[in-house]
Each structure stands twice: as structure tokens, then as C-alpha cells.
Amino acid sequence: MSYVCSTLHTLEALRGLRDELARVAEQPGAASGIVQHPDWIEYEVVSRHDGTVPHVIVARDAQGRVAGYAPLLAIDHTARLDLAGRRLQLYRGAALRMLGAGVVANEGDRSAVELLVSRQIAHDPGIRVVRIQEADLPNRFAASLSHGDGFRIVVAHLLDQVHWSIDPQPSSEAWLAAMDKKKRADLVQRVGRAYRKLGGDAALRVFDRAEDMAEYCRLMNELYARTWHHADLPIDWEAPERVALFQRLAETGQLIGHVVIRDGRPLAYVHGYRIAGTYLVDDLGYDEEVAKIGIGSVAVFQAVRGLLDRFPGERISFGYGDNQYKRLLSTRAEPCGSLYVVRATRATAGFHMYAPLRWLYRGLHRVRSDMQARRQG
């Protein structure tokens, strides 16, 4: 089958093709996450004020049907490497940022779309750097792009990362039944203990309707300011662009949030998105004043049980990171990481520093881990 390719460079063009792109993104397995949905791509552009514009490469088949697309943003990017407390600049200039892990397409069209998009990028000499920050490994799109034409893959994560998930389950009871008895009992009993300590009318409330998003964002704004996340990454949950996006996503069942509330006060949250048969636990947090109660991990457990019963046969993704709750609840762990795909030019020469520094960092980390193991032994 023959395909043709075009690129959307403006919000107007993106909005004009929104429904066709959404049809592809919402097919099972087509998108790696909500960030690849056209509504999210629009939000990324509208909510930023740094010159970011769409660079969505669309592939059509011989009948003119959208077969797939690459959800890319054209950005001004600075690549830095943390080195002994100092941040070393490796590159500054134009780049494409991939939203998600690769192209959006069903399995039958994916290889053709990957090849077509890769060729489109390779034939544009103005494109020197492609950033894939949430890459499954090995990454199909990066491999396709680096196959000839002067591009190479640069691994940007200094230590190996793992993507944790729960495989599709018929119910939460089936998921729990696969655990050993002690682990299962501890998880269930932990819920009762936490709520007894909280007292009052504490309960987990689910937010998934468009008309509830304003209240949800208000509660999230109030709670988020009391979490440890806030200092590192301030977020205005009530920003008009964010509320509007959440309302659109909730209308199509793609946003489900959970908040533990006691006497009107939010104490913990589990925020996530559902698309193409996967629910991504995007963020979670809790009021530092109740941290010792363990309500954060309890809220995650409750949310997961509810999702497994509500959407049997769907997958739950926790993203990457070595948190204890991910190890405890997951049934699958897969390698993932952060990649650049760069064209060999003088401007991108700094990326050569990643390989030797990654080798050195990993070696030092192994030595430190061995020394700690010996002390404990």
C-alpha cells in the first residue's frame, strides 16, 4: 500500500485534523499515552509561551485515510548533563520533541508509518535533534530514524530505568489472588488502618465527569501546594487551559482522578489518564501532614482496585521510576529510558560526551552498591 506524508505546523491545521487524528489515537495499542492525543498536543502548545509549535507528521494511505502520525513539537531545546553538581551544556538550538514513545498507529500500519516519518525527518536538513524522553527500549521509532541518513541514537539516562505495569486482569480479585497470602492481606488491611487513623468522613472520591473538573482542579490546586512535589515542579491546576483540557478528556472517558477527602479537605490524590486500553497513573501525592499514615499508597491501591473492576482486561501503567509501590503492585517490569536521536553535525558534537560519562557513572554506581552490600553483610 502506498502512503503520502504531510506536516502540521500550526494550531489551526492541528484543530482541522483533530477528529481524524483522535480516531487513530483511540484505537487499542495505537498510542503510548494520553500525551499523544491531539487534544493534549494542542494543550502543550497553548499552555506554553516559549515559541513551541506543532510539528505533527501525518501519514495517509492511498484512500486518503489517516494511517498514523508522529506527535512532535518544534522546540528550542537545551541539553545539559549533571556532572559533580555542575550542569554541563551539550547542545542548545532547534529540536523536535516526541510526545510519548513513538508514532501513533495501529499494529498493521505502524512499520509503514515509522518508515515514512523517519524519511520525512531525514530529508529535512534543518532537523538535527529529536528528543524521546519516555522511550520504551529498544525503541522502534529511534531505530527506524537512525537507520542511515546520518542519525544516531544517544542514550541520555545515566542509570537503567524500568517501566512498571499491571497486565490486563479480569478483576481486582484475580489480581490479588495472584499475590502471596501475606502480601494480599497486608494491602487490604492497610486500607482500614489508614482510614481509622484519619477519622472523620475520610473517603476516596472519583472524578471522571466533565462537569466535575472545575471542582477537581480546585481540590488538586489546594492539595498539590502541600505536597513535596510543589517545590520541584509548581503546577497551576486551575489554569484555564488545563481545566478546559481536563473537561475535554473527561467527556471522552480519558481522565479519571481520585482524591481522598476528609471533612472537605483533600489529603491525597491519584491522577491519571485512560486511552487505548491503558490507564496511566500519571501522578500521585499526599499532604505532608498525614504522610506517616501512608494514605498515599493506600489511595493508589484503592484506585487500582477500582480501575481493574471497572475496566476488566485493560492495562495499568505506573510509568518508570523505582518507587516501592510500583514494585509491590506491578506484574510486569520492562526497560525504558530517555533518548536523543541526533544528526552528526558540529552543533551536536557535545552529545558524544554521554557515552563515556554514562559508562563511568554506571561503574561508580556499581562500586558504591557493592560497598554498601558488603557493609550490610
Side-chain angles (χ1 to χ4, degrees):
M1 182 182 292
S2 61
Y3 295 81
V4 294
C5 210
S6 61
T7 304
L8 310 179
H9 294 288
T10 67
L11 280 174
E12 290 71 23
L14 178 65
R15 289 164 179 159
L17 211 56
R18 185 267 176 201
D19 291 348
E20 291 183 75
L21 299 180
R23 177 189 57 78
V24 178
E26 291 164 11
Q27 295 178 37
S32 65
I34 196 67
V35 296
Q36 297 194 306
H37 193 279
D39 289 344
W40 192 282
I41 301 172
E42 178 180 342
Y43 165 72
E44 286 278 355
V45 176
V46 171
S47 63
R48 296 175 182 273
H49 307 282
D50 56 4
T52 295
V53 295
H55 191 100
V56 180
I57 303 176
V58 181
R60 294 182 180 272
D61 62 21
Q63 286 72 47
R65 178 184 64 94
V66 173
Y69 63 95
L72 295 158
L73 300 177
I75 62 173
D76 182 40
H77 182 64
T78 301
R80 296 187 179 93
L81 184 62
D82 289 331
L83 188 63
R86 302 179 63 184
R87 304 192 75 186
L88 183 65
Q89 182 172 304
L90 304 182
Y91 172 82
R92 179 172 177 80
L96 294 182
R97 174 188 162 208
M98 171 69 75
L99 295 175
V103 301
V104 181
N106 65 43
E107 198 55 40
D109 292 318
R110 185 173 297 277
S111 294
V113 173
E114 285 174 341
L115 178 61
L116 197 64
V117 169
S118 297
R119 287 176 176 173
Q120 185 88 348
I121 292 174
H123 293 161
D124 185 344
I127 300 174
R128 298 179 298 197
V129 176
V130 179
R131 176 74 159 132
I132 312 176
Q133 193 167 354
E134 300 174 3
D136 49 347
L137 299 178
N139 186 265
R140 289 181 49 160
F141 178 67
S144 176
L145 184 54
S146 65
H147 186 68
D149 297 308
F151 279 96
R152 63 187 179 88
I153 297 174
V154 176
V155 177
H157 53 282
L158 296 181
L159 291 178
D160 292 338
Q161 300 282 346
V162 177
H163 177 200
W164 303 90
S165 61
I166 299 174
D167 288 320
Q169 306 287 326
S171 67
S172 67
E173 289 302 320
W175 170 62
L176 287 170
M179 301 178 185
D180 66 72
K181 186 176 180 179
K182 184 178 183 304
K183 178 180 175 180
R184 180 170 63 248
D186 180 62
L187 285 169
V188 174
Q189 292 168 9
R190 195 180 297 177
V191 176
R193 288 196 300 267
Y195 280 98
R196 283 194 296 272
K197 290 178 181 178
L198 285 177
D201 61 353
L204 181 74
R205 181 176 169 190
V206 179
F207 292 84
D208 58 3
R209 302 187 306 168
E211 56 266 35
D212 294 332
M213 285 300 107
E215 181 187 3
Y216 176 64
C217 290
R218 178 186 62 78
L219 291 168
M220 288 294 290
N221 228 15
E222 178 185 338
L223 173 57
Y224 191 79
R226 301 195 299 269
T227 69
W228 64 268
H229 300 66
H230 185 263
D232 293 333
L233 183 64
I235 294 177
D236 181 4
W237 291 85
E238 292 185 276
E241 301 93 341
R242 183 178 290 269
V243 176
L245 170 68
F246 284 7
Q247 289 171 337
R248 291 200 301 273
L249 295 179
E251 282 177 355
T252 53
Q254 294 173 323
L255 188 154
I256 304 175
H258 308 77
V259 183
V260 175
I261 303 173
R262 181 188 63 191
D263 301 328
R265 176 171 176 165
L267 299 176
Y269 70 88
V270 180
H271 176 76
Y273 306 97
R274 176 174 170 260
I275 186 172
T278 295
Y279 179 88
L280 170 65
V281 179
D282 185 66
D283 191 19
L284 59 95
Y286 48 84
D287 188 329
E288 288 293 319
E289 291 185 11
V290 295
K292 292 182 180 180
I293 294 176
I295 191 59
S297 58
V298 164
V300 176
F301 177 64
Q302 286 185 286
V304 166
R305 289 199 68 176
L307 291 163
L308 291 175
D309 288 331
R310 185 175 176 182
F311 306 109
E314 295 196 3
R315 176 172 171 262
I316 295 181
S317 167
F318 294 111
Y320 63 86
D322 200 19
N323 305 76
Q324 184 180 3
Y325 78 88
K326 296 179 182 180
R327 288 179 172 272
L328 189 65
L329 303 181
S330 296
T331 63
R332 181 180 296 273
E334 298 171 301
C336 66
S338 181
L339 305 176
Y340 286 101
V341 188
V342 302
R343 195 191 299 268
T345 67
R346 289 180 61 186
T348 61
F351 285 105
H352 286 287
M353 295 188 65
Y354 265 114
L357 286 173
R358 185 170 187 263
W359 176 84
L360 178 62
Y361 188 82
R362 286 160 58 88
L364 292 172
H365 188 267
R366 281 195 299 270
V367 170
R368 186 175 65 178
S369 298
D370 290 343
M371 292 177 64
Q372 290 175 343
R374 290 191 187 116
R375 291 194 193 101
Q376 293 172 358

